[in-house]
Amino acid sequence: MHHLGFILILLLIAPLASAHAVPERGVVYQVMVDRFYDGNHSNDGSFYDPSHKNYRLYWGGDLEGLTEKLDYIKSLGVSMIWVSPINDNINRMAFGSAPYHGYWTRDYKRIEEHFGTWRAFRRLVEEARKRGICIIVDYVPNHSNPATDGEFGSLYDNGTKVTDYYADAKKAKLNPYTGSLEAIYHHNGDITEWSGFQLKYANLYGLADFNQLNPWVDEYLTEGAMLFLENGACGFRVDAVKHMNLGWLESFYLRLYSERPLFIFGEYYSLSTERTADLYDFYRYSNVSSLLNIPIRNDIVRTFATFGGLDALARELEAYYSNFVYPNKGLNFLDSHDLVRFLNIAGRKDKLERFHMALALTMMLPGIPVIYYGDESYLVSKEGKGDPYNRPMMVFNNFTEASRIIRTLAELRKTNDALAFGDFKTLYANYSVWAFERAFGSHRLLVVMNKGSSTNLTLALDWPDGTYRDALYGAILTVRGGKSALYLPRNSFYVFHVERPQRVPLIGSLTPYTAQPGQEILIAGAGFGKDGKVLIGRRRAEVISWNSTEVLVRVPRLETLEGWVDVVVETGGKRSEPARLRYYSGSDVPVLLVVNATNLSGQLWLRDNLPELAEPRSLLMSSTGYYFTVAPLPNGTALSASLYEGERWGALTPLNVTLYGKVGGGALLLSEKPPSEGRNYLPVVALLLLLGFLIFRRRG
Ligand code: NOJ
């Protein structure tokens, strides 16, 4: 019996353990659950509009419906499904809308009754897995639901009411260091200024903003996410990361990653690539987890839907991607539930051709493509606007040209690693013609497009002599002596590719690329052979599994002061170039680091000689006279941190101030005196006192 139980548990766990997949070799399909397919009419419930006319009500889509349509989704060649939030939402209307979109959670441990149950979720995971697809859940740890409408921020812990925004307000206390009024929630009004303190500590569009540093909240949100992992999710899309302290997210992610390698990506809403403070912080977040490539989306759409040069786009994208350690881990998309769909923006006669080009481009750029449900079937709303009209009921049609493009390029992605891990180099660009090359070792890719009148293009191309066939339309490219010539009709888009065997080990990616000792990471690439060894920060890592393109290892404990360490694969006497891993010391807890701001001003930064603080962290100024930041730090760590001053994107000037403190959980006010000074003298003083006492007694 005992054995049987054990075997059963093993059987249950085994498929999860083997569910690691390399995200870059896949494509994500984004689904808004309510608008996809109604598989169970018995849960249509309240605020339901069977006519599908009122965009602000539930339309019946659910997890059973999604499960029913898995074969359809599979037919597009995708490998991950990002489902809109499915946690239990409020049971009332708020701001004139039902929470059909899923972003107004009230219980992070239950599934929304309109969408299904945990059992339905597990079935979805299992059926998807059978088809080589894994489920990524949209998780919303920044806020629960509207604070001043609906259920007023009501919060439940697996069915038991914990609080609401008004009850919580009565318990709220002023945090002396941050100046935030807080309990379970922050009580600092709505965001009116989109920078600094408010961005993280005020309510986003009136949504009750969590105080993640409250230990109960921290544990509750972590347990909620863990439930999805226990039920088989392979990752998360994390909502509104811009509005949470990066330091808290880091410790949150590390706890999730300690389960198994996951694919977590964040939504950092920033609509342009302009070098603002916002974009600087966007890149800082990307050092910790993947992000949706929101900043480039509008320019991609504009260039194809209305006007704009491909040459300008090429320059912008090259500059954008060069700011990432892992540009291939970001997520490219054309449409989403937050933006007006391409086909609603483009008014031109050739808009379908342009849509196909833009769709293909998002699948060819560095980064993982996201297909928004209905992109393949040209789904639009007749209202033609953004939220909520960009969320019409799904129309299933996988016989379209868009579906063919998605399927063809998703398949190519599985076999051509230049798509998954390659670099990005423009070979030629003018207003309407663009040719770029991507290479990963012996895998190559040449993408050529023309959105203007037909033309001939000659290119210098260091590919072996021969003819190459375009993956999409069968166009032929001939290369002779490093030169190639190509005829490009109007609105053409060609993809040429080469896959030759890779002889030297080459690392394409780490999943995840942030880790602490003991954590498993998946190394993906080529030429890994049958076996070998892996060095992380020059230490040998335990190998869990090995094949020629994927190696699973456990991160060793390192004695390092660096934030990034090298990962190297060795096989058959050959060694790969290093890949970079963001290293954390282990057992990190989120700590509020505080600096007394008397005599200080301007934009300050803090750094220290330990991995977590190796990159300077920007400090926020509080209304109570302190500077502060949140960082994940191992308990008991002694800090001797340095302060810097300087603007984002600019140079930092050291202030020659050293600040000391010891991490002990909760807030840590750093002081200018090393804490050890007093402590070192304590035993000596005690000894002297004791001696004095003894001498005194003898004499007496
Ligand atoms: C971003 C989501 O994508 C959006 O749809 C949602 O309303 C907000 N975050 C708030 O959760």
Side-chain angles (χ1 to χ4, degrees):
M1 193 57 213
H2 188 75
H3 266 87
L4 199 69
F6 183 67
I7 289 168
L8 265 176
I9 290 175
L10 266 188
L11 279 177
L12 281 174
I13 293 176
L16 292 186
S18 62
H20 317 307
V22 181
E24 292 91 334
R25 290 195 173 115
V27 173
V28 179
Y29 188 75
Q30 181 195 351
V31 163
M32 181 151 276
V33 176
D34 181 61
R35 302 295 156 90
F36 201 61
Y37 191 65
D38 191 350
N40 179 356
H41 290 292
S42 77
N43 63 17
D44 290 342
S46 47
F47 310 119
Y48 168 63
D49 173 17
S51 72
H52 297 175
K53 289 218 169 78
N54 186 338
Y55 276 82
R56 293 182 169 83
L57 295 179
Y58 283 101
W59 286 3
D62 49 31
L63 294 175
E64 284 179 64
L66 183 54
T67 310
E68 240 179 83
K69 291 295 181 185
L70 282 171
D71 283 332
Y72 171 89
I73 295 176
K74 187 184 175 200
S75 78
L76 298 171
V78 307
S79 51
M80 295 167 268
I81 301 174
W82 150 18
V83 294
S84 51
I86 48 173
N87 272 135
D88 183 32
N89 275 271
I90 54 170
N91 295 337
R92 295 205 198 129
M93 302 276 284
F95 307 148
S97 177
Y100 71 90
H101 44 68
Y103 287 98
W104 294 346
T105 316
R106 61 171 219 174
D107 195 334
Y108 287 74
K109 300 206 180 148
R110 292 210 167 163
I111 299 290
E112 165 59 36
E113 64 275 11
H114 285 86
F115 301 150
T117 56
W118 280 114
R119 179 197 286 263
F121 179 73
R122 271 196 306 277
R123 214 184 131 241
L124 168 68
V125 167
E126 278 151 27
E127 289 301 318
R129 187 183 299 130
K130 286 184 198 158
R131 293 162 176 82
I133 295 173
C134 78
I135 304 295
I136 293 177
V137 175
D138 203 325
Y139 198 63
V140 195
N142 176 61
H143 50 259
S144 59
N145 54 77
T148 55
D149 200 359
E151 289 194 21
F152 308 102
S154 71
L155 192 66
Y156 291 76
D157 186 356
N158 197 15
T160 306
K161 183 154 181 191
V162 178
T163 194
D164 59 47
Y165 203 65
Y166 290 104
D168 192 58
K170 292 196 190 124
K171 297 190 184 151
K173 294 205 173 71
L174 185 77
N175 183 316
Y177 299 129
T178 60
S180 160
L181 189 60
E182 61 196 25
I184 279 182
Y185 291 122
H186 292 138
H187 295 272
N188 305 309
D190 284 353
I191 301 178
T192 49
E193 208 178 289
W194 293 83
S195 64
F197 175 83
Q198 284 200 13
L199 217 50
K200 318 274 175 196
Y201 288 87
N203 294 344
L204 171 67
Y205 306 125
L207 297 161
D209 198 55
F210 278 122
N211 170 17
Q212 290 87 357
L213 255 57
N214 171 315
W216 182 86
V217 175
D218 183 22
E219 194 180 319
Y220 171 74
L221 292 173
T222 308
E223 284 172 1
M226 285 290 185
L227 281 176
F228 282 111
L229 298 183
E230 282 161 28
N231 285 284
C234 65
F236 295 100
R237 179 266 192 190
V238 180
D239 191 61
V241 295
K242 173 174 168 174
H243 301 285
M244 290 176 273
N245 281 304
L246 177 58
W248 177 75
L249 283 171
E250 288 170 272
S251 69
F252 173 63
Y253 294 161
L254 287 172
R255 275 171 285 164
L256 303 180
Y257 289 145
S258 66
E259 284 293 298
R260 56 182 181 273
L262 304 166
F263 182 40
I264 300 182
F265 59 93
E267 178 239 4
Y268 189 113
Y269 204 76
S270 183
L271 280 175
S272 106
T273 55
E274 245 178 88
R275 285 179 138 223
T276 53
D278 196 15
L279 201 69
Y280 181 91
D281 288 345
F282 176 94
Y283 291 128
R284 285 301 316 267
Y285 273 69
S286 82
N287 282 347
V288 170
S289 96
S290 308
L291 293 175
L292 284 154
N293 284 327
I294 299 173
I296 55 175
R297 185 273 178 178
N298 278 358
D299 282 340
I300 294 178
V301 171
R302 180 181 43 76
T303 308
F304 289 89
T306 53
F307 66 93
L310 288 170
D311 43 3
L313 185 65
R315 281 195 298 274
E316 175 184 333
L317 294 182
E318 278 200 18
Y320 174 77
Y321 287 119
S322 70
N323 282 295
F324 294 91
V325 175
Y326 284 106
N328 285 308
K329 274 271 201 266
L331 292 105
N332 296 314
F333 63 96
L334 204 51
D335 287 337
S336 88
H337 62 300
D338 287 329
L339 299 162
V340 184
R341 285 181 182 256
F342 181 105
L343 287 172
N344 281 126
I345 294 175
R348 46 193 314 128
K349 272 203 259 118
D350 60 353
K351 68 177 175 193
L352 271 196
E353 286 172 25
R354 289 298 186 81
F355 177 69
H356 292 147
M357 294 178 77
L359 182 65
L361 178 66
T362 57
M363 297 190 73
M364 293 292 106
L365 289 173
I368 300 155
V370 181
I371 308 296
Y372 186 41
Y373 80 98
D375 270 352
E376 75 278 22
S377 57
Y378 312 116
L379 190 62
V380 287
S381 66
K382 67 175 182 341
E383 292 77 4
K385 286 174 251 158
D387 171 4
Y389 304 104
N390 48 9
R391 307 156 180 188
M393 203 65 194
M394 173 62 177
V395 169
F396 293 89
N397 184 353
N398 53 3
F399 291 101
T400 60
E401 173 63 1
S403 307
R404 192 189 70 82
I405 292 173
I406 295 168
R407 190 179 305 122
T408 309
L409 298 181
E411 289 310 322
L412 181 62
R413 210 174 174 85
K414 292 177 188 157
T415 52
N416 187 298
D417 276 346
L419 256 177
F421 313 123
D423 58 5
F424 177 56
K425 199 168 83 194
T426 288
L427 301 184
Y428 178 86
N430 67 24
Y431 188 89
S432 40
V433 176
W434 184 17
F436 65 83
E437 193 192 7
R438 304 195 55 200
F440 180 72
S442 53
H443 287 198
R444 295 286 178 94
L445 196 80
L446 173 70
V447 177
V448 194
M449 72 204 80
N450 172 23
K451 67 170 186 147
S453 22
S454 48
T455 184
N456 284 302
L457 179 70
T458 32
L459 275 181
L461 192 66
D462 68 344
W463 287 21
D465 282 3
T467 51
Y468 300 86
R469 202 180 164 79
D470 147 56
L472 283 172
Y473 306 98
I476 298 292
L477 173 82
T478 309
V479 179
R480 289 268 170 279
K483 278 223 158 72
S484 64
L486 196 62
Y487 170 69
L488 295 169
R490 170 183 280 278
N491 289 344
S492 52
F493 192 104
Y494 298 142
V495 176
F496 303 98
H497 55 104
V498 185
E499 298 85 20
R500 278 170 299 150
Q502 176 65 29
R503 309 259 175 237
V504 181
L506 200 57
I507 300 180
S509 80
L510 309 178
T511 304
Y513 54 90
T514 51
Q516 55 186 335
Q519 193 182 306
E520 290 176 16
I521 56 165
L522 182 63
I523 307 173
F528 295 162
K530 285 202 196 74
D531 52 24
K533 63 178 181 183
V534 171
L535 299 174
I536 300 185
R538 296 213 206 90
R539 283 246 168 115
R540 193 146 174 190
E542 177 199 339
V543 172
I544 299 161
S545 67
W546 191 293
N547 69 40
S548 62
T549 60
E550 289 177 24
V551 176
L552 186 65
V553 292
R554 194 178 308 287
V555 175
R557 184 167 291 282
L558 304 175
E559 300 297 325
T560 179
L561 307 177
E562 305 291 324
W564 293 91
V565 298
D566 284 350
V567 177
V568 172
V569 171
E570 286 185 18
T571 182
K574 291 173 191 144
R575 158 185 274 248
S576 74
E577 289 291 315
R580 297 169 80 197
L581 176 71
R582 172 92 179 206
Y583 180 78
Y584 292 78
S585 318
S587 326
D588 290 64
V589 288
V591 179
L592 180 70
L593 286 174
V594 185
V595 176
N596 196 327
T598 333
N599 304 330
L600 297 172
S601 64
Q603 176 58 60
L604 299 188
W605 305 73
L606 189 89
R607 76 168 296 280
D608 199 345
N609 282 334
L610 73 159
E612 285 83 349
L613 294 174
E615 284 180 349
R617 277 178 197 256
S618 61
L619 302 181
L620 281 173
M621 206 198 309
S622 80
S623 55
T624 49
Y626 293 93
Y627 276 94
F628 63 94
T629 188
V630 178
L633 293 170
N635 237 337
T637 315
L639 299 181
S640 57
S642 323
L643 277 186
Y644 295 78
E645 211 241 307
E647 291 308 314
R648 285 166 170 79
W649 295 105
L652 300 187
T653 321
L655 292 182
N656 300 323
V657 181
T658 311
L659 296 168
Y660 303 90
K662 190 162 182 183
V663 178
L668 172 56
L669 176 62
L670 297 170
S671 85
E672 289 200 40
K673 276 203 205 109
S676 53
E677 275 180 18
R679 237 193 19 222
N680 280 348
Y681 290 120
L682 209 69
V684 182
V685 172
L687 201 70
L688 285 176
L689 278 176
L690 187 70
L691 274 175
F693 175 72
L694 289 176
I695 293 167
F696 179 77
R697 261 210 354 189
R698 272 206 175 170
R699 286 207 177 152

